[in-house]
Amino acid sequence: MLVLPRGPAEGWEAIERRHRHWCQDNGLRPLWTIPHLDPAETGYLNAYPSLEGSRARRAAVGSALLRRIALFHTVTAFYRVQCWDDGDSWKIDARTAHPRARWHDQLLQRLCHPRWGLPVHMAHRFCHCAEPDAPYQWNHTCAFYFDGHTAGKDDLIYLRVHASPEGRDYDQQITTLRQVGAPEAWMARALPRDAVQHHDQHYQAGQLP
């Protein structure tokens, strides 16, 4: 996957062509334009079938997550989401500006939906924020483990949600979100109103970049 920053001076074709020439000049073989596996790749796959099977499984789950990426801002109150493949499963780390990890159940319901969701079910849930007597506090963390529907396909996804106030200073987060064009309606839902007002006042006063 090739991801370009906003407003690049050249198109992706020029970037790809320059990288391909760099590979060739340094004795490397660019394989992304070849419609079949290289013999070395085929030999590697045959030598490590279980490893490649796990990698293919994670790739399928990652592709399914990417197609549902809009869920992370349409049905949640996360202001930051990070996702990575740790070589064993997909790890998702989300942060909310609310004192408890609110609204994650809507995301869980959609990720596990029998028709529209991923081929996973929630295997373990470590979350008490929805209980009536749960303390209303910062630094609360909820954790969810997802398994596949087939035996032996455990822990395909791990979701961790932090009620993290970032020291209750969201200026840098809001600046970044504004720079990438985050919708104001979503900002109002994901971040405290006084935090947005605080940022705007400091920005207008020239105290922020």
Side-chain angles (χ1 to χ4, degrees):
M1 176 182 293
L2 177 63
V3 180
L4 302 180
R6 185 176 182 180
E10 56 184 342
W12 70 267
E13 296 94 343
I15 296 175
E16 186 273 338
R17 184 168 53 251
R18 185 174 67 252
H19 185 63
R20 175 158 39 87
H21 291 162
W22 180 89
C23 290
Q24 294 168 343
D25 293 342
N26 287 274
L28 303 175
R29 297 178 56 195
L31 301 177
W32 55 84
T33 60
I34 299 177
H36 52 77
L37 291 178
D38 181 89
E41 294 176 308
T42 301
Y44 183 84
L45 292 176
N46 293 335
Y48 303 98
S50 60
L51 176 62
E52 291 308 309
S54 173
R55 185 174 297 171
R57 221 166 34 245
R58 295 196 311 276
V61 172
S63 176
L65 278 171
L66 185 61
R67 292 195 298 273
R68 294 162 177 82
I69 194 171
L71 293 176
F72 288 89
H73 69 84
T74 56
V75 301
T76 70
F78 303 153
Y79 67 86
R80 187 173 74 187
V81 178
Q82 295 173 293
C83 182
W84 66 93
D85 176 5
D86 72 346
D88 182 48
S89 62
W90 285 98
K91 299 292 191 289
I92 304 173
D93 186 271
R95 294 181 181 271
T96 174
H98 299 285
R100 288 189 291 183
R102 294 167 48 191
W103 297 345
H104 50 44
D105 281 356
Q106 291 92 322
L107 174 64
L108 301 176
Q109 291 168 5
R110 286 160 176 78
L111 288 180
C112 297
H113 191 280
R115 182 173 182 180
W116 308 113
L118 300 167
V120 298
H121 65 274
M122 193 185 308
H124 304 287
R125 176 184 180 120
F126 300 94
C127 171
H128 304 286
C129 70
E131 296 179 1
D133 298 327
Y136 201 69
Q137 62 184 6
W138 292 107
N139 301 320
H140 182 90
T141 299
C142 303
F144 310 93
Y145 293 83
F146 299 82
D147 288 352
H149 294 310
T150 305
K153 308 296 188 294
D154 297 337
D155 291 348
L156 292 176
I157 303 174
Y158 169 62
L159 169 65
R160 182 173 56 200
V161 181
H162 300 282
S164 171
E166 298 287 340
R168 306 201 182 191
D169 181 0
Y170 298 93
D171 285 342
Q172 186 57 51
Q173 293 289 341
I174 295 172
T175 297
T176 301
L177 291 168
R178 287 265 171 79
Q179 288 174 346
V180 299
E184 290 296 329
W186 174 82
M187 295 267 289
R189 177 164 56 90
L191 294 160
R193 179 183 301 177
D194 57 347
V196 178
Q197 293 174 344
H198 178 272
H199 168 274
D200 292 347
Q201 291 170 358
H202 281 69
Y203 180 81
Q204 293 170 2
Q207 299 175 0
L208 293 174

